[in-house]
C-alpha cells in the first residue's frame, strides 16, 4: 500500500513534467554523465518536499543522470538524517542536495560528504557559514515572510494586531521568518501579539492553533502563517469560525489553502518553488561533477546564515492568481534555469 | 525482589540460576556462550552485508558505523547499570539531553573551556540520576513509574530553560572529536566507549562496590542481611546511569557540533529501544544480579551494524524499526527458551 | 469491607477513588472560569470535550493493563497503526467508513491479543514484550505510510470527529461515554472484570480460586488494544487526516490519568471514574496554559509532578490500609 503523496492539483505532476521537458530544450547540451548519482535528502517527512521526488525523477530523465533519488529520513531527527547520508555515501551516491536538519548540526556531515569528493548543496534551507556546501538555493524565506506580512497588513487598519504561526524550531528558516515578520509589522505600525512556533505537524498545529483561536480570536485582526501545516490548519480554522473578519496570508500551495483563498476566507498565499529547487539543483549537481566550478565572484545574495545564497523565487498569489499558481512558479523556475550556468558556473 | 520488581522482570530466574549453580554448571560458561554467539552474529552479518554491498567495508562506512555504535553502546551501558539492580531507568534519554544541553550552555553561554563543560555536563547527569535513585529509595515505589515521571519533568525543565533552542556555538576543538579519524577508520568516540567498557568491567568484576551492586540486584533481602546498604547501591547505580547517559549525549554534541534539544526525540523516548537492546542482547538479565559489559558492548554494536546494513540494503529507512522490534522480541524469546532448556536438562 | 463504611457517606466518599479528582476538577473549573470567562465559551468547551473523549480512550487502554498489574508500552503504537489502517483502507481501497472502522478496531484487538499471548505463554514481562511490539507496530506503520499522512478522509468521518450535536457536545463524546459505562459495568459487575482485578491483586490467589491467569491476561491485553485502536480512529476524525505520528506522545498521558485516578501499579485497584477525571484534569490544565499564554513546555513538567504526587498518595493509602488490616508492609 503506497501512501499518496500530496499534490497541488491532480494535473500538476503532468503539467510539471511537460514543463520540465520544455525546460530541458533550453539546456545547453548537457554532458550525458550517467555516473552522477544524486540524492535529494530533506530533514524529515513533510508535504513541502513531495515536489522534490518528481523534480529529481524529471531531472534524471532529462539530463541522463545515473540517478536523482529522493531519500527521506523516517523522522525529523538529526541523527537519522546523518545515518541516512552516511549510508547513501556507501550506496554510491556522489552528489547531495540537502535540507539541513539543523543549520549548524548538519555542517559536520555536509563537510564529511564534501570530503569524499561529492558536491553538496543546501536546498530550501541553508547551512550556517562556514561550510563546504557549494551554495544554498532556496526561497528567501525572510523576504517571503516580509512580503507576505506587508500584503496582510496592507489589508488591515493601522495598529492591527496579528498572530504568527510558523515552523519547526530546528528549521533554519524559522528564526529568519520570525524576524522578518516582526520587521514588517514594525514598519507598518502593527503588532505581532503572538508567535507560535514548532507546529509544522498536524497534531500540535491542530491543538495549539485551535486552542489559541478559541481563547484569543477576538483580540487579533490578522494571521500570518509561514509554514505549510500551520497554513492548512489555520485556513480550516478560519473556515470553521466563518465570519471572515480575521484576514490571513498563508504559504505554499496546499489545496486546503487554495480553496480557502477562492472562497474568501484567506487573503492569499506566498508560493515557494520546491520543484524548481529540486530540478535545477540536480542539474547543477551534475554539471559540478562534470568539471564545472562555481564562479568565485558569482552574484550571490546573502541571508542571516550564509553568504552564498541563490533565491529560488517567491510570489504572492491572491484570489486572482490561485487558479494558475503552477504557471507562476514555472515562470520563475524557467527564468532561473536559463540564466543559471552563465551566471553562477564556470564550465 | 519485591512484587513490584516482578512487574518488570517477569518470572525470576534466580531460582534457575541457583539450581544450575548447585548442579555444578558454571554460569561463567553460560555467559561466555552469549558473548561468543554475538561475535559470531557480528561476523556473519558483516559478511552478508559486505557481499551485498562491498562498500560496507569501506573506510568511511566502517568509520561511520563505529562512531554511531559508540553512542548506542554508551546508551546501552546507561540502562545496563540500572537493570543490574533489577530496576529501570526510562529517563535515560531525558537525562542525556538535559546534560548535553547543560554542557552546551556551559560552553557557549558561559564560555567555559570544553573539558570543564563536559565535566559539568557529566555532573548534571549524575545529579539527575542520583535524584531518581533517591526518589525511588525513599518512596519505595517501582523505578518504572518514578523514572516515567522524572523523564517528563527533566525534559520539560530542559525545554523550558533552553526555550527549545539549540546551542550552536560549541567549541570547535570539541566538535573536532566527532569528526576526527584515527588511521582513517576509527573514531575517538568509539575509543571513549571502549574505555568506559573497560572501567565498567573492572567495577563489576574486581571491586567490592561492583560485587555489592550485583548482590543487591540478585537478592535484595539477602544483601541487606549481609550488611550491604542496598539503598546506597541503588542510588549509586542511578547516578552512574545518569552520568553514562550524559556521556552519550555529550558524544552526540561532539558529533554534530551543536547541542540540539531534539537529539533524543520527544521526552528522550527515542533512546529507549537502543537502551534495552544492548543489554538484553548482551545477556544482562532484566531481573538483575547478572551483568555482561562485553555482552552489552557487542549487543549494541550488532544492533548498530544491523541498522546500517538494513539501510544499505535498501530495506528502506521506514522498515528498520520493525526489524529492531522483531530482533528484541526474538532475543528475549530465545534467551528465555535457552534458560528454561538448560534448567530442564540439569534437572532431568 | 463494611468497616470502611462505618463513617457513613463521608468516609465512603473519601475511600472512593473518583471523588477526590472530581472535587479538584470542579475547583479547577471554577477558578479558571473566574479568571477568564472565555474558558466556558461554547467553542472552548467543544475543544475540551474533543480532547477529553480521545484521551480517555488512551487512558482506559492503559488502565486495564494496570488493573492486571502489568504495563503496556505499545498503546500509542497500536493506536497509530489502527489510525493509518483506518485512513488507508478508506483512501486506497475505497472501503466505506463503518467497515473500515470495524476492521481497524479488529487490528487493534489482534495487536492486543498478540501482546497478551506473548506475555501469557512466555512468562516474559509485559514491559519488555510491549517494548518490542511497540517498535514492531510503529515500524509497520512507518513502513506502510513512509511517514506520509493519508489525506482523503470521508466527510462523514470528519464531521463525526469535529461536529457537535447538542450545543457544544461533540459526537465523539458518545463513544467515550459508552466506553466509560461499559468499563465500569465490566469491572464492577461482570465476572471477567472481577477476574481482572483479582489477577492484579494477587495472581497466585486468583489462580488457586480457579481463575485462569493466562486467559485473563490475554483478554485484558486484547481489550487494551481495542481501546487504543478506538482512540486512534477517533483522532483520525478529529485531525481530518490519517497521521502516522498518532500515538507518539501517548505514553505519559496513558499512565498519568489512571494514576491520578487512584490506580495502583502493582494491580488490583483501578477506578474508571477516577481515571476519567484524571483525563479531564490533564485536559483542563493543558488548555489553561494556552489560555493564559503560559509556556506550553510546562505541561511536561506538571504531568511528571502529577504522576509522582499521585503515586505517592496511592502508595500512602495502600500502606495505610494494609497497616489497618494488620498485614506486613513490604
Amino acid at each position: 500500500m503506497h501512501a499518496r503523496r500530496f499534490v497541488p492539483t491532480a494535473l500538476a505532476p503532468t503539467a510539471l513534467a511537460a514543463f520540465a521537458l520544455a525546460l530541458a530544450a533550453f539546456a545547453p547540451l548537457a554532458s550525458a554523465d550517467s555516473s552522477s548519482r544524486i540524492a535529494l535528502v530533506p530533514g524529515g517527512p513533510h508535504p513541502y518536499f513531495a515536489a522534490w521526488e518528481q523534480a529529481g525523477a524529471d531531472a534524471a530523465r532529462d539530463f541522463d543522470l545515473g540517478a536523482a533519488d529522493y531519500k527521506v529520513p523516517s523522522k525529523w531527527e538529526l541523527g537519522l538524517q546523518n545515518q541516512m547520508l552516511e549510508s547513501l555515501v556507501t550506496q554510491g551516491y556522489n552528489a547531495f542536495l540537502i535540507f539541513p536538519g539543523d543549520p549548524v548540526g548538519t555542517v559536520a556531515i555536509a563537510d564529511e560528504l564534501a570530503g569524499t569528493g561529492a558536491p553538496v548543496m543546501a536546498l530550501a534551507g541553508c547551512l550556517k557559514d562556514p561550510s563546504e556546501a557549494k551554495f544554498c538555493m532556496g526561497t528567501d524565506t525572510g523576504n517571503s515572510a516580509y512580503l507576505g506580512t506587508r500584503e496582510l497588513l496592507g489589508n488591515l487598519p493601522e495598529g492591527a494586531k496579528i498572530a504568527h504561526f510558523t515552523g519547526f524550531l530546528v528549521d533554519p528558516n524559522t528564526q529568519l521568518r520570525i524576524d522578518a515578520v516582526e520587521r514588517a509589522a514594525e514598519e507598518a505600525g502593527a503588532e505581532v501579539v503572538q508567535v507560535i512556533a514548532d507546529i509544522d505537524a498536524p497534531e500540535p498545529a491542530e491543538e495549539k492553533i485551535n486552542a489559541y483561536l478559541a481563547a484569543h480570536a477576538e483580540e487579533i485582526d490578522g494571521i500570518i502563517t509561514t509554514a505549510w501545516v500551520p497554513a492548512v490548519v489555520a485556513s480550516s480554522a478560519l473556515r470553521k469560525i466563518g465570519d471572515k473578519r480575521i484576514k490571513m496570508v498563508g504559504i505554499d500551495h496546499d489545496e486546503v489553502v487554495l480553496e480557502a483563498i477562492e472562497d474568501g476566507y484567506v487573503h492569499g498565499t506566498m508560493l515557494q518553488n520546491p520543484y524548481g529547487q529540486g530540478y535545477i539543483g540536480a542539474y547543477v549537481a551534475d554539471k559540478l561533477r562534470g568539471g564545472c566550478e562555481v564562479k568565485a565572484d558569482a552574484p550571490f545574495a546573502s541571508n542571516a546564515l550564509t553568504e552564498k545564497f541563490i533565491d529560488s523565487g517567491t510570489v504572492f498569489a491572491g484570489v486572482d492568481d490561485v487558479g494558475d499558481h503552477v504557471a507562476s512558479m514555472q515562470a520563475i523556475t524557467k527564468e532561473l534555469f536559463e540564466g543559471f550556468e552563465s551566471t553562477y558556473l564556470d564550465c | 525482589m519485591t512484587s513490584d520488581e516482578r512487574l518488570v522482570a517477569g518470572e525470576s530466574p534466580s531460582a534457575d540460576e541457583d539450581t544450575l549453580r548447585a548442579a555444578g554448571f558454571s554460569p561463567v560458561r553460560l555467559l561466555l556462550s552469549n558473548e561468543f554467539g554475538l561475535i559470531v552474529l557480528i561476523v556473519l552479518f558483516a559478511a552478508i552485508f559486505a557481499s551485498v554491498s562491498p562498500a560496507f567495508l569501506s573506510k568511511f562506512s566502517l568509520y561511520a558505523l563505529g562512531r554511531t555504535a559508540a553512542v548506542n553502546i554508551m546508551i546501552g551501558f546507561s540502562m545496563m547499570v540500572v537493570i543490574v539492580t533489577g530496576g529501570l531507568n526510562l529517563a535515560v534519554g531525558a537525562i542525556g539531553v538535559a546534560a548535553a544541553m547543560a554542557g552546551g550552555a556551559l560552553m557557549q553561554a558561559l564560555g567555559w573551556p570544553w573539558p570543564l563543560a563536559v565535566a559539568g555536563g557529566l555532573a548534571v547527569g549524575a545529579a539527575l540520576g542520583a535524584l531518581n535513585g533517591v526518589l525511588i529509595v525513599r518512596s519505595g515505589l517501582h523505578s518504572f513509574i518514578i523514572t516515567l515521571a522524572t523523564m517528563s519533568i527533566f525534559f520539560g525543565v530542559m525545554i523550558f530553560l533552553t526555550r527549545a533552542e539549540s546551542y550552536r556555538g560549541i567549541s570547535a576543538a570539541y566538535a573536532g572529536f566527532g569528526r576526527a579519524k584515527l588511521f582513517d577508520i576509527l573514531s575517538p568516540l568509539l575509543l571513549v566507549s571502549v574505555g568506559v567498557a573497560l572501567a565498567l568491567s573492572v567495577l563489576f568484576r574486581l571491586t567490592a562496590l561492583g560485587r555489592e551492586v550485583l548482590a543487591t540486584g540478585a537478592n535484595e533481602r539477602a544483601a541487606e542481611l549481609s550488611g550491604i546498604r542496598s539503598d546506597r547501591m541503588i542510588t549509586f547505580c542511578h547516578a552512574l546511569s545518569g552520568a553514562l547517559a550524559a556521556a552519550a549525549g555529550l558524544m552526540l554534541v561532539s558529533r554534530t557540533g551543536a547541542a540540539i534539544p531534539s537529539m533524543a526525540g520527544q521526552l528522550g523516548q527515542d533512546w529507549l529501544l537502543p537502551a534495552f537492546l544492548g543489554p538484553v542482547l548482551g545477556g544482562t538479565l532484566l531481573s538483575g544480579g547478572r551483568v555482561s559489559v562485553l555482552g552489552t558492548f557487542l549487543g549494541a554494536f550488532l544492533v548498530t551494524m544491523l541498522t546500517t546494513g538494513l539501510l544499505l540494503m535498501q530495506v528502506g529507512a521506514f522498515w528498520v524499526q520493525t526489524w529492531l522490534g522483531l530482533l528484541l522480541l526474538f532475543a528475549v524469546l530465545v534467551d528465555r527458551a535457552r534458560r528454561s532448556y538448560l534448567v530442564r536438562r540439569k534437572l532431568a | 469491607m463494611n468497616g470502611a463504611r462505618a463513617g457513613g457517606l463521608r468516609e465512603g466518599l473519601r475511600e472512593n477513588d473518583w471523588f477526590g479528582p472530581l472535587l479538584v476538577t470542579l475547583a479547577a473549573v471554577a477558578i479558571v472560569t473566574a479568571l477568564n470567562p472565555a474558558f466556558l465559551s461554547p467553542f472552548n468547551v467543544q475543544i475540551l470535550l474533543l480532547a477529553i473523549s480521545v484521551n480517555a480512550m488512551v487512558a482506559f487502554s492503559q488502565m486495564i493493563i494496570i488493573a492486571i498489574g502489568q504495563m503496556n508500552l505499545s498503546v500509542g503504537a497500536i493506536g497509530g497503526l489502527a489510525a493509518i489502517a483506518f485512513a488507508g483502507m478508506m483512501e486506497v481501497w475505497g472501503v466505506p467508513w463503518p467497515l473500515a472502522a470495524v476492521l481497524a478496531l479488529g487490528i487493534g484487538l489482534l495487536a492486543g491479543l498478540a501482546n497478551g499471548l506473548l506475555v501469557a505463554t512466555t512468562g516474559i514481562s509485559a514491559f519488555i514484550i510491549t517494548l518490542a511490539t511497540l517498535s514492531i507496530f510503529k515500524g509497520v506503520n512507518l513502513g506502510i505510510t513512509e511517514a506520509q499522512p493519508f489525506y482523503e478522509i470521508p466527510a462523514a468521518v470528519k464531521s463525526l470527529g469535529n461536529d457537535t450535536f447538542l450545543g457544544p457536545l461533540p459526537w465523539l463524546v458518545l463513544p467515550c461515554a459508552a466506553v466509560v459505562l461499559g468499563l465500569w459495568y465490566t469491572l464492577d459487575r461482570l465476572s471477567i472484570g472481577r477476574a481482572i482485578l483479582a489477577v492484579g491483586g494477587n495472581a497466585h490467589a486468583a489462580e488457586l480460586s480457579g481463575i485462569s491467569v493466562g486467559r485473563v491476561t490475554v483478554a485484558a491485553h486484547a481489550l487494551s488494544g481495542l481501546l487504543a485502536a478506538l482512540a486512534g480512529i477517533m483522532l483520525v476524525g478529529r485531525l481530518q487526516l490519517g497521521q502516522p505520528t498518532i500515538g507518539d506522545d501517548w505514553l505519559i498521558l496513558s499512565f498519568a490519568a489512571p494514576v491520578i485516578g487512584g490506580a495502583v501499579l502493582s494491580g488490583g485497584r483501578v477506578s474508571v471514574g477516577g481515571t476519567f477525571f484524571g483525563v479531564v484534569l490533564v485536559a483542563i490544565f493543558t488548555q489553561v496554559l494556552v489560555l493564559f499564554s503560559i509556556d506550553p513546555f510546562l505541561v511536561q513538567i506538571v504531568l511528571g509532578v502529577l504522576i509522582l504526587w499521585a503515586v505517592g498518595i496511592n502508595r500512602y493509602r495502600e500502606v495505610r490500609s494494609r497497616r489497618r488490616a494488620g498485614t506486613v508492609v513490604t
Side-chain angles (χ1 to χ4, degrees):
Chain A
M1 193 160 43
H2 187 75
R4 231 199 42 209
R5 299 273 186 281
F6 192 84
V7 288
T9 72
L11 289 178
T14 340
L16 286 171
F19 169 67
L21 273 172
L23 263 193
F26 281 95
L29 271 172
S31 50
D33 186 3
S34 61
S35 75
S36 279
R37 290 172 56 83
I38 302 166
L40 296 100
V41 183
H46 192 275
Y48 177 85
F49 302 110
W52 281 13
E53 191 175 13
Q54 173 97 47
D58 292 345
R61 180 200 61 219
D62 295 343
F63 307 119
D64 240 343
L65 305 174
D69 297 334
Y70 173 65
K71 298 275 181 190
V72 49
S74 57
K75 266 202 292 188
W76 273 94
E77 201 185 295
L78 195 55
L80 287 177
Q81 190 187 37
N82 286 344
Q83 258 194 304
M84 164 134 290
L85 287 168
E86 285 163 1
S87 181
L88 291 173
V89 170
T90 315
Q91 290 174 39
Y93 285 89
N94 46 36
F96 296 92
L97 305 172
I98 305 177
F99 179 95
D102 180 273
V104 168
T106 308
V107 171
I109 187 77
D111 290 355
E112 273 178 7
L113 295 172
T116 66
V120 175
M121 270 158 281
L123 220 53
C126 297
L127 291 168
K128 185 148 176 55
D129 281 349
S131 82
E132 299 289 320
K134 299 285 181 193
F135 55 78
C136 172
M137 177 161 61
T139 313
D140 186 342
T141 49
N143 192 35
S144 167
Y146 179 81
L147 290 175
T149 313
R150 293 306 299 252
E151 239 338 294
L152 174 70
L153 294 174
N155 256 295
L156 294 174
E158 175 99 16
K161 297 189 188 319
I162 60 173
H164 178 196
F165 304 142
T166 183
F168 294 132
L169 286 169
V170 290
D171 183 338
N173 299 307
T174 298
Q175 193 57 46
L176 301 174
R177 288 166 160 148
I178 294 178
D179 295 337
V181 168
E182 190 62 52
R183 197 166 31 102
E186 250 178 65
E187 286 175 13
E191 191 193 337
V192 181
V193 292
Q194 180 80 22
V195 176
I196 304 186
D198 235 9
I199 49 173
D200 207 358
E203 266 170 301
E206 267 298 326
E207 197 186 295
K208 298 201 176 151
I209 293 180
N210 279 316
Y212 180 77
L213 287 176
H216 301 285
E218 304 296 311
E219 302 161 24
I220 55 170
D221 307 300
I223 297 176
I224 175 88
T225 60
T226 53
W228 182 300
V229 177
V232 172
V233 172
S235 304
S236 304
L238 286 181
R239 194 185 273 275
K240 255 195 275 183
I241 292 182
D243 64 6
K244 299 192 186 180
R245 177 188 63 86
I246 302 179
K247 303 276 178 276
M248 173 178 150
V249 167
I251 193 174
D252 293 321
H253 47 269
D254 190 294
E255 187 137 328
V256 170
V257 178
L258 298 179
E259 273 173 12
I261 297 176
E262 280 171 15
D263 295 342
Y265 293 101
V266 174
H267 177 59
T269 184
M270 298 306 296
L271 294 174
Q272 301 193 84
N273 193 4
Y275 182 87
Q277 289 160 359
Y279 189 80
I280 298 177
Y283 169 70
V284 174
D286 181 47
K287 291 250 113 191
L288 289 173
R289 286 207 71 246
C292 298
E293 294 279 337
V294 175
K295 279 190 191 163
D297 56 348
F300 289 125
S302 71
N303 66 17
L305 291 167
T306 178
E307 301 286 309
K308 294 197 228 155
F309 181 73
I310 301 177
D311 191 343
S312 62
T314 184
V315 74
F316 175 78
V319 64
D320 301 320
D321 317 301
V322 275
D324 214 14
H325 68 277
V326 178
S328 316
M329 293 323 294
Q330 282 177 354
I332 296 188
T333 305
K334 181 157 178 245
E335 197 184 306
L336 190 58
F337 184 80
E338 280 168 357
F340 201 96
E341 189 174 334
S342 51
T343 317
Y344 294 104
L345 300 178
D346 251 332
C347 289
Chain B
M1 219 177 13
T2 63
S3 63
D4 277 345
E5 305 291 281
R6 268 173 227 280
L7 254 188
V8 168
E11 273 176 42
S12 161
S14 55
D16 305 343
E17 306 300 347
D18 290 341
T19 315
L20 288 173
R21 216 167 280 142
F25 187 91
S26 163
V28 174
R29 239 193 296 154
L30 189 69
L31 210 58
L32 262 184
S33 75
N34 196 34
E35 281 90 343
F36 186 67
L38 284 172
I39 295 179
V40 165
L41 280 175
I42 289 177
V43 169
L44 180 66
F45 276 110
I48 295 178
F49 294 140
S51 67
V52 163
S53 166
F56 179 73
L57 294 179
S58 73
K59 288 194 176 167
F60 182 76
S61 170
L62 291 176
Y63 168 72
L65 172 62
R67 189 171 53 183
T68 310
V71 178
N72 284 341
I73 290 168
M74 203 61 95
I75 296 175
F77 284 152
S78 170
M79 186 65 84
M80 182 190 81
V81 301
V82 170
I83 294 180
V84 159
T85 64
L88 292 175
N89 182 6
L90 292 184
V92 288
I95 295 181
V97 180
M101 295 307 287
L106 291 173
M107 259 188 256
Q108 181 174 320
L110 295 185
W112 285 17
W114 72 259
L116 277 182
V118 165
L122 290 174
V124 167
L128 292 177
L131 180 58
N132 273 340
V134 167
L135 281 172
I136 291 169
V137 161
R138 281 290 171 79
S139 66
L141 291 165
H142 194 283
S143 51
F144 170 82
I145 197 69
I146 295 282
T147 54
L148 180 67
T150 58
M151 160 188 197
S152 203
I153 297 175
F154 295 156
F155 193 81
V157 171
M158 183 271 299
I159 287 279
F160 180 68
L161 290 177
T162 61
R163 318 223 45 84
E165 278 168 18
S166 312
Y167 286 109
R168 301 188 169 126
I170 302 299
S171 114
Y174 186 63
F177 283 122
R179 301 198 206 186
K181 280 194 203 183
L182 300 173
F183 315 115
D184 255 1
I185 210 172
L186 201 59
S187 167
L189 298 182
L190 187 58
L191 288 181
V192 170
S193 290
V194 169
V196 170
L198 290 172
L200 286 173
S201 283
V202 165
L203 173 71
F204 286 114
R205 290 225 183 162
L206 301 179
T207 66
L209 179 61
R211 277 196 296 266
E212 287 178 4
V213 165
L214 287 172
T216 309
N219 192 330
E220 195 170 330
R221 278 281 150 68
E224 283 269 344
L225 287 174
S226 44
I228 298 176
R229 300 277 302 271
S230 63
D231 285 3
R232 288 245 187 104
M233 295 299 112
I234 292 178
T235 309
F236 168 73
C237 281
H238 277 274
L240 182 58
S241 173
L244 290 169
L250 289 166
M251 280 161 79
L252 270 180
V253 170
S254 171
R255 191 245 176 285
T256 43
I260 299 168
S262 59
M263 68 172 76
Q266 180 73 352
L267 298 181
Q269 287 178 115
D270 291 350
W271 283 14
L272 280 183
L273 188 60
F276 276 99
L277 271 174
V280 168
L281 283 178
T284 304
L285 299 176
L286 279 182
S287 49
R290 167 71 50 75
V291 73
S292 169
V293 175
L294 177 60
T296 304
F297 186 97
L298 292 173
F301 192 86
L302 176 63
V303 169
T304 313
M305 205 179 73
L306 283 174
T307 311
T308 309
L310 285 173
L311 278 178
L312 206 59
M313 293 194 336
Q314 306 283 5
V315 157
F318 295 109
W319 287 104
V320 172
Q321 200 172 358
T322 313
W323 288 110
L324 290 181
L326 285 169
L327 176 67
L328 179 59
L329 195 57
F330 182 69
V332 287
L333 288 174
V334 163
D335 186 68
R336 185 100 190 86
R338 186 169 59 103
R339 275 188 286 117
S340 62
Y341 169 73
L342 282 169
V343 167
R344 259 196 322 225
R345 221 181 54 166
K346 266 294 110 184
L347 291 177
Chain C
M1 262 311 135
N2 282 325
R5 298 225 192 287
L9 181 64
R10 220 146 131 242
E11 176 75 35
L13 277 179
R14 218 184 319 144
E15 289 292 326
N16 198 303
D17 277 340
W18 53 263
F19 190 64
L22 171 61
L23 279 186
V24 179
T25 305
L26 290 175
V29 171
I31 295 176
V32 175
T33 312
L35 293 175
N36 188 339
F39 185 70
L40 283 183
S41 72
F43 189 39
N44 208 48
V45 169
Q46 184 186 350
I47 295 187
L48 260 180
L49 287 175
L50 281 172
I52 290 172
S53 306
V54 175
N55 291 344
M57 301 302 105
V58 173
F60 288 136
S61 169
Q62 188 69 254
M63 186 195 80
I64 276 291
I65 302 300
I66 293 179
I68 57 168
Q70 294 175 11
M71 44 194 86
N72 182 359
L73 296 182
S74 63
V75 171
I78 296 179
L81 187 58
I84 62 116
F86 177 54
M89 281 190 270
M90 293 187 296
E91 178 176 317
V92 177
W93 292 339
V95 176
W97 76 262
L99 182 58
V102 169
L103 288 175
L105 287 176
I107 290 180
L109 190 74
L110 284 175
L113 264 176
N115 279 341
L117 283 170
L118 281 169
V119 172
T121 55
T122 65
I124 300 175
S125 80
F127 177 85
I128 206 75
I129 293 280
T130 55
L131 178 64
T133 58
L134 139 71
S135 303
I136 297 174
F137 298 144
K138 180 79 204 182
V140 170
N141 174 341
L142 280 181
I144 293 176
T145 62
E146 300 197 348
Q148 299 284 15
F150 289 109
Y151 288 98
E152 300 276 305
I153 309 296
V157 174
K158 289 189 199 181
S159 162
L160 278 176
N162 282 285
D163 294 343
T164 62
F165 65 95
L166 192 69
L169 283 181
W171 287 106
L172 284 185
V173 167
L174 293 177
C176 174
V179 167
V180 169
L181 289 171
L183 271 179
W184 170 80
Y185 188 73
T186 306
L187 288 177
D188 206 60
R189 301 286 159 90
L190 294 182
S191 61
I192 180 69
R194 279 194 292 224
I196 287 178
L197 289 170
V199 166
N202 190 330
H204 273 157
E207 189 84 54
L208 288 174
S209 43
I211 298 176
S212 159
V213 173
R215 287 238 196 101
V216 168
T217 304
V218 172
H221 275 278
L223 182 56
S224 175
L226 183 69
L227 289 172
L230 181 58
I233 294 174
M234 286 162 81
L235 209 45
V236 169
R238 204 188 104 198
L239 292 177
Q240 302 178 59
L241 42 68
Q243 174 73 354
T245 56
I246 285 176
D248 282 356
D249 53 356
W250 287 4
L251 184 64
I252 300 274
L253 173 69
S254 73
F255 278 98
V259 157
I260 291 173
V264 171
L265 282 185
S266 47
R269 180 173 181 166
V270 294
S271 162
V272 174
T275 304
F276 180 76
F277 286 117
V279 172
V280 173
L281 273 174
V282 172
I284 291 179
F285 189 76
T286 315
Q287 264 260 337
V288 162
L289 288 181
V290 179
L291 206 60
F292 292 111
S293 303
I294 302 176
D295 205 318
F297 298 128
L298 245 38
V299 184
Q300 305 295 356
I301 303 178
V302 173
L303 272 182
V305 172
L306 272 177
I307 292 180
L308 285 179
W309 171 79
V311 285
I313 292 200
N314 293 347
R315 174 85 175 161
Y316 171 68
R317 277 165 47 189
E318 190 191 10
V319 164
R320 195 185 56 177
S321 70
R322 282 219 205 143
R323 275 222 194 99
R324 272 215 224 119
T327 53
V328 174
V329 176
T330 37

